[in-house]
Amino acid sequence: MSFSKTVEITETSADTRRITVTVNGTPRVVEVEPRLLLVHLLREGLALRGTHIGCDTTNCGACTVLHDGNPIKSCTMLAVQADGHEITTVEGLGTPSELDPVQEGFHREHGLQCGFCTPGMMMAARALLDREPDPSEEDVRWALSGNLCRCTGYQNIVKAVLWAADKQRGAQPAEEDAR
Amino acid sequence: MTALDEVKIGGLGASRLRVEDQRFVRGRGTYLDDIKLPGMLYMEIVRSPLAHARITRIDTSKAWQIPGVRLVLTGEMMAQRNLAWMPTLSYDTQAVLATDKVRFQGQEVVVVVADDPYIAKDGCDAVEIDYEPLPAIVNPEQSAAPGAPIIRDDKPGQTDNTCYRWEVGDREATERAFAEADVVSSLKLHYPRSHPSPIECCGAVADFDAGTGKLTVYMTTQAPHIVRAAVALIAELPEHQIRIVSPDIGGGFGNKVPVYPGYVHAILASILTGRPVKWIEDKTGNLISTGFGRDMYLDAQMALRRDGKILAVRMHADTDQGAFFADAQPSKFKVGLLHSAFACYDIGIGYITAQGHYTNKAPGGVAYRCSFRVTEAMFFQERMMQAAATDLGMDQAEFRRINLRRDVAFPARTPFGFLVDSGQYHKCLQVGLDAIGYDEFRREQAAAREKGRLLGIGISTMTEPLGAGNSREYDILGIKMFDSAELRVHLTGKAILRTGARTQGQGHETTWAQIVAHELGIPADDVVVEEGDTDTAPYGMGTYASRSTPVAGAAVSMAARKVRAKARKIAAHLLEVSEEDVEWELGRFYVRGAPERGASIQECAMAAYSNMPDGMEPGLEATAYYDPPNLTWPFACYIVTVEVDPETGVWDVLRVVAVDDCGVRINPMIVEGQIMGGLTEAYAMASMQFQTYDADGNMIGANYMDYLLPTAWETPGFELHEVVTPCPHHPIGAKGVGECAAVGGPAAFVNAVIDAIGDAGVRNIDMPLLPDRVWTALQTRQSVSGAPPVGRS
């Protein structure tokens, strides 16, 4: 019994645990093997494929999600540890018709290239803006220092987060000059 | 009616926001691991813990007993199917699963396929393998030592560990020039082994359908058609029954060009089980077994005249190839384009020798964010330039001015046979010097030194060959290095464009549409771009070596021009004039002398399907295959200032100025994004990012705890400037840009630190310039080698 068999069910068997995790606002009751990683519950059990797996060792941050509002690396948390907690993934950002300011900022400031680190980056940025609506460049760089990007060189990512902060505060984000 | 504003329709020069972002920021990309097929099984690999050992026993019986394990593959089972070995892209062979012995740590030995990856990992743990250890060879010096154990004893006729020997240039003329030199400057360097390390690792989902005989493989590949050709040749499957799909790729940087054993395992596992099989490499597997870059030792000399003129250069390179010669490079030259070194300088004479060495290390290498070996070439060149200027007692900028080619000197042949065709080298250098405030910094540096502060400035100027290739000198497995585009304009004037390249973050979905907008006046938003599926894409050689824009991008232009040529005939028909009387402006044909009488490209498209002239073939589409007449030659000047802490050896970057001349820029925003990404990799290699091995062949740098990549915290800010010299042979004058900064950047950082130390005894510190190396140099007032230790634990 492992993640491919992780489904929402009502019976409890001997080698699994029933847990309740609120994912993007919806309580999900699932039966999981104790060794199942949270990232596998999200990706495979709940089909939320926006959270990516990069390094397996908590370094790259591609799997960053919010756990009760705090950014965590979901490759290094067991699903059972999330029992009773709230998880927010990239699918919980924005609405189908309207992007979250962080998503819009990444698009407008060219804060992504291959896009693989982007969901984790955006979740770390979301957590920063939730606790600090007017961050400095240094604040942004520090908040993102647990997330690796190999494409962009970070400069545009930092600009993207500052753009999102401006937008969120109602300040007029700088319109891109030549674009 | 006025002509369209090209920038408004998203044509050349528009910083058009990327269309691919819309799915990526929503977490809706489809990367390999997002592909899930009904009944899919999962594969894991048992890797060798030892660098060099004879396999004495493999027992897989306990793995077979685990519920949910469906298949356990060994080298013996591969050998029964003639699949234990496969050809590499460099005409060597590579073990698919080890049969006789293991030759590097991390080599693939057993494969387990199960209902899910947790069970497959359980299966791997249950496999028992006995090894008889052999001495490990971890550098070229050990490899070439008399009596060294022969690593490739599988190869008939292999009597030592030499992988290849190669030379280029004029030896005798070079010797004469050295004899006449006023000053001979010399330098020894090691460019350490580095891994491209995209955040997404390699993987495949193989799906063989016994009912149709069709093999579909979803695969993290930068070059799907090359893989299809390789699978057809290796597995002897008919090419029309093979479909390679490269989904969204989470970064490539050269790592995803080769054909790796894991792909072959997954394909065979799917054939044997009759079910789709997914293989996703973990990070350690990626770092210890897939294509690395660099690992080259250089011994170089420069013959100089007292007035600063370079008379000749001489270089010998030793490359550490690992256990199999698996270079993924398309040139006919054994050491890639190393001989592109010094192309920007007016030097008539040179001679290069190189020798490749087998070692008990991961096989490779790949062109990590460069044309093959160009990064080494430009690093050695610019480090030599600094050492030579210092030996002459000459200013770094002045020494470059004396030797850089003049604008009027194009085209020019380099001493090693390349034809450089365009550039404004002196202007780029001056823009960089002005931007950084060179003279003022030198004064500031002198004043700071009196107070015991160590400031330094490093310059790197270079032109590099991009865009492999031309069909005369570049091929992979004999397939020439062209590329292709297919453009179909629909009834309503909307279009679909497919190319043989494969984007991995470079933004082809955005920029290719801009080329179509430039050529046809169809708004970029009306063009959808598709790549990566060999069943639908025209035959192309993929994306690496900054070749997308120089080759596939040119093909896009040429396909669009074919469409325009047909549309012109349709326009003449619609306007009831002869074709010679039809003029073109962006988006519209009109009658010469009567510009108000016109037909838009959209009206021509409609007519192509609904009102074509008598006898004309219906439809409006074209395919173009493009074989570039030459490589493209972008130029760049990178200038870095640093401060070194004399107490600790820690150095901080003060400023980074980049002046890039990559020809015409399709999308300035994307070009700048590429340059900043490249500068970050340059900083990474100069400061922290490297892989080494201990004396037993254990890799240090096998995960992100040990293999350090810069984060947002360390990475400096970048100041970008541009100069534009159009490429003389590219349809829209573009040269390619993705790799320039990663190629030319590292020397600027290293030169800056050496300059800050400012001690004649410290000619070199090998990368990465870790604080302890810099501190050692400051203490000993001598160069610090980064070459791995020789000797055994």
Side-chain angles (χ1 to χ4, degrees):
Chain A
M1 191 77 158
S2 278
F3 79 56
S4 61
K5 296 177 186 164
T6 304
V7 286
E8 291 183 297
I9 53 169
T10 52
E11 272 176 60
T12 306
S13 62
D15 57 350
T16 60
R17 301 286 184 279
R18 180 180 299 188
I19 60 172
T20 304
V21 186
T22 301
V23 180
N24 298 330
T26 306
R28 308 293 292 263
V29 183
V30 291
E31 188 109 351
V32 298
E33 200 177 345
R35 67 175 174 171
L36 186 75
L37 296 171
L38 176 58
V39 70
H40 284 143
L41 170 66
L42 296 171
R43 285 184 52 82
E44 308 292 336
L46 302 178
L48 296 168
R49 63 182 193 176
T51 302
H52 299 146
I53 300 173
C55 73
D56 325 300
T57 50
T58 328
N59 294 87
C60 81
C63 65
T64 303
V65 299
L66 303 187
H67 176 272
D68 296 338
N70 296 313
I72 58 129
K73 312 277 176 78
S74 60
C75 77
T76 326
M77 178 179 262
L78 298 168
V80 291
Q81 292 175 289
D83 187 17
H85 293 276
E86 288 192 19
I87 299 295
T88 310
T89 69
V90 65
E91 289 87 352
L93 287 183
T95 65
S97 58
E98 198 174 349
L99 294 176
D100 184 280
V102 169
Q103 292 170 306
E104 199 181 345
F106 271 70
H107 174 52
R108 286 183 168 267
E109 295 294 344
H110 189 30
L112 67 151
Q113 291 181 23
C114 80
F116 198 76
C117 75
T118 309
M121 277 294 173
M122 293 193 304
M123 297 317 289
R126 182 72 265 155
L128 168 68
L129 298 187
D130 285 347
R131 65 172 190 275
E132 174 51 81
D134 189 12
S136 66
E137 175 177 342
E138 194 172 54
D139 292 337
V140 174
R141 286 187 178 268
W142 185 247
L144 300 181
S145 63
N147 293 70
L148 295 173
C149 171
R150 295 290 282 160
C151 296
T152 64
Y154 303 106
Q155 192 154 311
N156 282 352
I157 292 179
V158 173
K159 283 166 73 180
V161 178
L162 293 173
W163 189 99
D166 283 352
K167 164 112 188 210
Q168 191 170 297
R169 289 196 325 279
Q172 195 66 36
E175 272 306 316
E176 308 86 314
D177 23 339
R179 284 166 216 163
Chain B
M1 183 163 178
T2 53
L4 293 171
D5 177 336
E6 177 159 354
V7 171
K8 281 198 179 134
I9 63 163
L12 283 195
S15 280
R16 181 180 184 227
L17 295 177
R18 300 200 326 163
V19 294
E20 41 274 85
D21 290 356
Q22 291 299 333
R23 63 178 186 275
F24 291 143
V25 298
R26 289 175 169 84
R28 303 282 304 172
T30 302
Y31 300 93
L32 186 80
D33 198 16
D34 301 328
I35 292 165
K36 205 170 178 178
L37 302 179
M40 191 166 76
L41 301 174
Y42 297 80
M43 185 188 111
E44 295 283 339
I45 297 172
V46 181
R47 298 178 181 279
S48 167
L50 300 174
H52 199 193
R54 207 161 291 289
I55 299 170
T56 56
R57 185 182 71 103
I58 297 178
D59 182 352
T60 61
S61 57
K62 291 195 177 74
W64 279 105
Q65 287 162 16
I66 293 173
V69 168
R70 304 288 171 179
L71 179 70
V72 184
L73 278 177
T74 62
E76 196 182 342
M77 292 164 71
M78 301 298 281
Q80 286 161 6
R81 294 165 177 82
N82 202 24
L83 283 173
W85 293 82
M86 64 178 187
T88 71
L89 297 179
S90 283
Y91 304 96
D92 193 4
T93 51
Q94 173 169 5
V96 179
L97 280 179
T99 48
D100 49 345
K101 63 179 190 178
V102 291
R103 292 175 171 83
F104 69 95
Q105 184 185 54
Q107 188 175 341
E108 302 82 357
V109 185
V110 172
V111 161
V112 177
V113 179
D115 288 348
D116 85 22
Y118 285 69
I119 299 172
K121 281 200 164 81
D122 290 342
C124 289
D125 290 345
V127 170
E128 294 177 6
I129 305 168
D130 289 344
Y131 296 99
E132 189 181 287
L134 298 166
I137 290 171
V138 296
N139 59 46
E141 194 180 331
Q142 291 177 343
S143 176
I150 295 172
I151 296 167
R152 295 302 303 279
D153 50 358
D154 58 292
K155 292 180 80 173
Q158 182 82 31
T159 56
D160 61 14
N161 289 319
T162 301
C163 179
Y164 69 84
R165 287 177 199 275
W166 190 75
E167 65 175 334
V168 65
D170 187 335
R171 181 181 188 161
E172 286 173 16
T174 305
E175 298 306 324
R176 280 198 302 276
F178 272 82
E180 290 163 11
D182 296 330
V183 176
V184 172
S185 191
S186 58
L187 199 61
K188 283 188 181 185
L189 295 168
H190 178 222
Y191 203 128
R193 186 175 275 234
S194 204
H195 196 282
S197 197
I199 302 292
E200 180 199 41
C201 300
C202 296
V205 175
D207 183 16
F208 180 71
D209 185 333
T212 62
K214 181 126 187 171
L215 172 69
T216 301
V217 190
Y218 303 87
M219 185 186 287
T220 49
T221 177
Q222 299 174 224
H225 281 99
I226 294 176
V227 174
R228 187 177 73 181
V231 171
L233 297 171
I234 296 169
E236 295 181 357
L237 292 169
E239 195 173 2
H240 67 291
Q241 290 282 49
I242 304 166
R243 177 183 173 211
I244 306 296
V245 182
S246 173
D248 286 328
I249 299 182
F253 317 112
N255 183 235
K256 292 169 181 169
V257 175
V259 177
Y260 294 121
Y263 300 151
V264 182
H265 306 149
I267 291 169
L268 183 63
S270 179
I271 291 171
L272 293 178
T273 59
R275 291 167 64 174
V277 173
K278 176 186 272 190
W279 167 58
I280 300 285
E281 194 173 54
D282 61 20
K283 187 59 75 186
T284 294
N286 183 249
L287 287 170
I288 69 176
S289 75
T290 64
F292 67 92
R294 334 294 187 226
D295 214 346
M296 179 182 273
Y297 298 78
L298 185 86
D299 190 346
Q301 297 89 39
M302 194 179 258
L304 298 153
R305 216 162 57 194
R306 182 71 60 198
D307 64 3
K309 174 75 185 154
I310 303 168
L311 301 175
V313 289
R314 185 167 60 194
M315 301 172 27
H316 176 75
D318 286 294
T319 63
D320 184 333
Q321 298 292 154
F324 308 107
F325 187 25
D327 284 358
Q329 64 124 338
S331 80
K332 298 198 177 306
F333 316 118
K334 288 290 184 192
V335 69
L337 306 185
L338 181 67
H339 56 310
S340 62
F342 298 98
C344 68
Y345 297 112
D346 184 14
I347 303 173
I349 302 166
Y351 180 59
I352 297 176
T353 53
Q355 183 175 354
H357 303 264
Y358 287 119
T359 60
N360 292 116
K361 293 158 74 173
V366 295
Y368 167 17
R369 205 163 183 160
C370 60
S371 296
F372 199 68
R373 299 288 189 201
V374 166
T375 307
E376 292 94 314
M378 299 311 155
F379 181 73
F380 296 154
Q381 165 193 307
E382 287 307 296
R383 293 287 299 115
M384 267 310 299
M385 289 298 287
Q386 186 186 45
T390 303
D391 290 346
L392 289 168
M394 191 170 272
D395 176 76
Q396 294 292 330
E398 183 57 23
F399 181 54
R400 285 176 172 80
R401 267 194 213 103
I402 289 170
N403 289 289
L404 282 172
R405 292 183 194 280
R406 308 274 150 197
D407 299 358
V408 294
F410 297 107
R413 193 64 73 173
T414 78
F416 307 114
F418 291 104
L419 190 73
V420 288
D421 55 23
S422 58
Q424 302 175 68
Y425 300 172
H426 290 263
K427 180 178 177 185
C428 285
L429 174 61
Q430 197 55 48
V431 169
L433 294 172
D434 290 346
I436 203 93
Y438 186 73
D439 296 336
E440 193 185 325
F441 183 86
R442 285 293 185 200
R443 285 193 290 276
E444 197 185 321
Q445 180 185 33
R449 188 166 287 274
E450 289 186 5
K451 294 177 187 148
R453 287 175 59 208
L454 302 179
L455 303 186
I457 187 163
I459 304 173
S460 175
T461 48
M462 58 108 214
T463 187
E464 58 156 341
L466 295 185
N470 54 70
S471 59
R472 297 180 305 281
E473 287 171 323
Y474 301 91
D475 67 70
I476 287 184
L477 300 172
I479 308 163
K480 302 295 189 182
M481 295 297 291
F482 55 80
D483 224 292
S484 59
E486 177 205 87
L487 177 64
R488 294 182 182 176
V489 183
H490 310 315
L491 174 82
T492 57
K494 317 292 183 189
I496 181 168
L497 175 79
R498 296 186 172 111
T499 85
R502 183 64 190 123
T503 191
Q504 311 130 36
Q506 296 90 339
H508 294 179
E509 290 168 51
T510 303
T511 50
W512 290 166
Q514 293 185 247
I515 296 178
V516 175
H518 168 72
E519 296 289 354
L520 293 178
I522 295 176
D525 287 346
D526 290 351
V527 182
V528 68
V529 175
E530 257 187 31
E531 291 178 341
D533 184 338
T534 57
D535 267 8
T536 55
Y539 210 111
M541 301 304 280
T543 292
Y544 40 86
S546 291
R547 67 188 298 280
S548 292
T549 293
V551 194
V556 173
S557 264
M558 302 315 274
R561 289 176 189 183
K562 285 185 182 178
V563 163
R564 194 168 71 204
K566 182 168 183 184
R568 178 185 296 274
K569 294 183 196 301
I570 297 170
H573 166 70
L574 293 176
L575 298 169
E576 297 177 328
V577 294
S578 74
E579 203 185 327
E580 297 74 51
D581 291 329
V582 171
E583 296 281 345
W584 167 256
E585 63 183 359
L586 189 64
R588 173 177 186 267
F589 295 97
Y590 63 90
V591 177
R592 181 179 304 136
E596 71 287 352
R597 285 185 61 209
S600 70
I601 187 75
Q602 288 82 4
E603 286 164 343
C604 293
M606 177 66 80
Y609 298 90
S610 63
N611 178 24
M612 55 280 190
D614 282 346
M616 180 185 275
E617 186 181 357
L620 190 58
E621 59 183 68
T623 303
Y625 279 74
Y626 188 78
D627 179 6
N630 190 12
L631 298 157
T632 60
W633 296 91
F635 183 85
C637 169
Y638 303 111
I639 305 183
V640 171
T641 55
V642 300
E643 176 158 10
V644 175
D645 182 340
E647 302 295 324
T648 63
V650 171
W651 51 281
D652 290 321
V653 177
L654 303 175
R655 288 177 67 197
V656 179
V657 164
V659 185
D660 280 273
D661 180 356
C662 56
V664 172
R665 297 183 175 201
I666 300 167
N667 181 322
M669 174 191 82
I670 286 179
V671 167
E672 290 179 4
Q674 293 290 308
I675 293 167
M676 289 191 280
L679 287 169
T680 305
E681 299 209 40
Y683 168 69
M685 281 178 269
S687 64
M688 64 181 79
Q689 179 185 304
F690 74 129
Q691 292 186 311
T692 188
Y693 288 76
D694 72 11
D696 294 324
N698 297 304
M699 180 187 278
I700 316 298
N703 56 56
Y704 281 173
M705 310 273 194
D706 297 324
Y707 189 58
L708 298 184
L709 308 176
T711 73
W713 187 246
E714 300 88 18
T715 303
F718 307 117
E719 304 167 36
L720 308 185
H721 300 264
E722 76 171 283
V723 168
V724 176
T725 312
C727 174
H729 60 77
H730 187 279
I732 57 169
K735 293 186 173 181
V737 71
E739 298 160 337
C740 300
V743 169
F749 289 96
V750 177
N751 286 352
V753 173
I754 300 293
D755 185 65
I757 292 171
D759 187 312
V762 184
R763 289 177 73 77
N764 181 50
I765 304 172
D766 274 339
M767 292 195 294
L769 273 60
L770 302 168
D772 71 293
R773 291 186 184 181
V774 177
W775 184 85
T776 302
L778 287 163
Q779 296 297 311
T780 62
R781 305 189 62 187
Q782 287 177 357
S783 295
V784 176
S785 167
V790 179
R792 309 205 170 278
S793 60

